[in-house]
Amino acid sequence: MGSESDDCKVMLGVDGGTTSTVCVCMPLLPFSDIHNLPDPLPLLGRAVAGSSNFNSVGEDVARETLEKIIAETLSDAGVKRSAVQAICLGLSGVNHSKDQEKILGWLRSTFPSHVKLYIQNDAVAALASGTMGKLHGCVLIAGTGSISYGFTEDGREARAAGAGPVLGDWGSGYGIAAQALIAVMRAHDGRGPQTMLSSCILQSLGLSSPDELIGWTYADPSWARIAALVPVVVSCAEDGDQVADGILHNAVQELAISVKAVVQRLHLAGEDGKGSFPVVMVGGVLGANKKWNIGNEVTNSILKTYPAACIIRPKVEPAVGAALLALNFLMKETVANDHS
């Protein structure tokens, strides 16, 4: 996108989801712009790669993906590695300081010590994409996986769900699709009611019998492959199938409860529950599905409990949110150092 320049200082933002990883390169904006960001935001380079969630693809693949995508983004931007001043990575699977240290170790081998490295969960980058780099409010991500994550202005944080499908993220794309596959098997062997999901899922996968679903599922139980069945569940619910409808209602309830749990723990709505705070909503599951709109149903449920919540659908992608976070973190550090 750009021509190679020596004096250009840049910041990188990385959004590493369960399915894909996106990296963007932006010029290092002056701190004075932070409260009045240019529109549109200047983007110098961008690259996309596969998953960088080490829980899903393993550490070697995750590290390789991150190193490759950063190199590709810098190449696309036409800037040298030495131009990078700060990087913020929002990565799914980062849930603990040990995870952060592991990834810092990977990156420190390629970036000198003056480059500021910030490692966060991918939910933090998604929140920042709605608040334009400010860490305040709650984010709900419902894509392949799901999580709610919240921050107070004084830096306290809380999360709900996000522990992966085995531990009950039933509002996620994987959770919805897994429940549908379970319903098909139950209908097939007489443990559950008949459902349109059976013929629709088999048809979409090119299979002839529910027995074949067992082989299909375990041949590659990757979360994204199973989550890809969500549109089939939504269309069955829209056509009046009660089993599919029940699965989606459960998902809405799960997603709304995860937001409410975070809001309560952090008192984001104030002591009386009437205060205003941002709720950033991202992820394919929350997109507009024709008649059955999961995102709208979740929004209605949140607003019923917290009428002053400000629902935000971000206009920039989470990788840009991560880059703006890098700028915010860098500014706070610089101000703190100036005062010390």
Side-chain angles (χ1 to χ4, degrees):
M1 280 186 192
S3 59
E4 195 139 312
S5 149
D6 289 329
D7 55 0
C8 166
K9 289 183 174 178
V10 301
M11 53 194 187
L12 299 179
V14 178
D15 169 41
T18 317
T19 310
S20 63
T21 304
V22 178
C23 180
V24 298
C25 176
M26 293 172 64
L28 189 68
L29 299 168
F31 293 153
S32 55
D33 283 4
I34 247 172
H35 300 298
N36 191 16
L37 292 165
D39 185 14
L41 288 163
L43 215 58
L44 302 175
R46 183 178 185 274
V48 184
S51 173
S52 51
N53 181 328
F54 54 80
N55 293 328
S56 180
V57 296
E59 289 189 17
D60 292 344
V61 172
R63 179 177 184 165
E64 204 176 293
T65 300
L66 290 175
E67 287 173 357
K68 185 167 156 250
I69 200 171
I70 287 171
E72 281 178 15
T73 304
L74 291 173
S75 164
D76 187 43
V79 296
K80 293 176 178 165
R81 196 172 280 266
S82 56
V84 178
Q85 303 299 302
I87 309 172
C88 179
L89 299 96
L91 304 174
S92 67
V94 169
N95 302 310
H96 195 274
S97 57
K98 281 184 184 154
D99 302 331
Q100 292 173 314
E101 282 157 25
K102 180 188 302 173
I103 289 153
L104 277 173
W106 298 350
L107 294 173
R108 271 289 164 238
S109 59
T110 46
F111 286 97
S113 58
H114 75 271
V115 179
K116 299 294 183 189
L117 301 175
Y118 308 104
I119 319 288
Q120 301 283 343
N121 183 275
D122 63 328
V124 181
L127 174 63
S129 72
T131 60
M132 300 308 270
K134 293 178 191 66
L135 277 192
H136 172 239
C138 181
V139 63
L140 171 65
I141 301 181
T144 301
S146 69
I147 190 171
S148 275
Y149 217 110
F151 280 87
T152 59
E153 305 214 45
D154 61 5
R156 287 178 301 118
E157 59 185 87
R159 57 181 279 175
V166 178
L167 297 174
D169 285 350
W170 294 124
S172 66
Y174 179 98
I176 290 168
Q179 292 287 330
L181 290 172
I182 291 166
V184 171
M185 297 313 294
R186 289 177 70 87
H188 176 56
D189 62 18
R191 287 176 296 145
Q194 291 305 306
T195 166
M196 284 164 61
L197 288 166
S198 302
S199 57
C200 293
I201 287 177
L202 291 175
Q203 191 183 342
S204 80
L205 298 177
L207 303 176
S208 53
S209 132
D211 287 326
E212 293 176 27
L213 263 184
I214 301 169
W216 178 86
T217 302
Y218 293 114
D220 171 12
S222 81
W223 302 347
R225 177 172 173 260
I226 287 169
L229 292 170
V230 167
V232 181
V233 186
V234 171
S235 72
C236 285
E238 287 177 346
D239 289 340
D241 184 78
Q242 286 189 315
V243 174
D245 190 68
I247 290 169
L248 296 188
H249 273 294
N250 278 348
V252 166
Q253 210 174 351
E254 287 288 324
L255 294 170
I257 284 170
S258 71
V259 170
K260 292 171 190 176
V262 165
V263 175
Q264 282 168 353
R265 276 163 57 200
L266 295 177
H267 301 295
L268 287 175
E271 295 307 318
D272 61 358
K274 296 197 171 106
S276 179
F277 59 94
V279 178
V280 178
M281 295 179 54
V282 295
V285 168
L286 299 170
N289 318 107
K290 304 172 248 85
K291 285 182 295 192
W292 225 117
N293 191 313
I294 297 171
N296 282 0
E297 295 294 328
V298 174
T299 296
N300 293 341
S301 178
I302 293 167
L303 290 175
K304 213 174 271 181
T305 312
Y306 302 112
C310 174
I311 308 292
I312 300 171
R313 301 285 186 133
K315 293 185 175 58
V316 300
E317 62 181 339
V320 172
L324 293 174
L325 267 180
L327 182 66
N328 253 315
F329 288 146
L330 193 59
M331 182 185 77
K332 281 184 180 153
E333 272 191 41
T334 307
V335 168
N337 290 341
D338 287 349
H339 288 178
S340 59

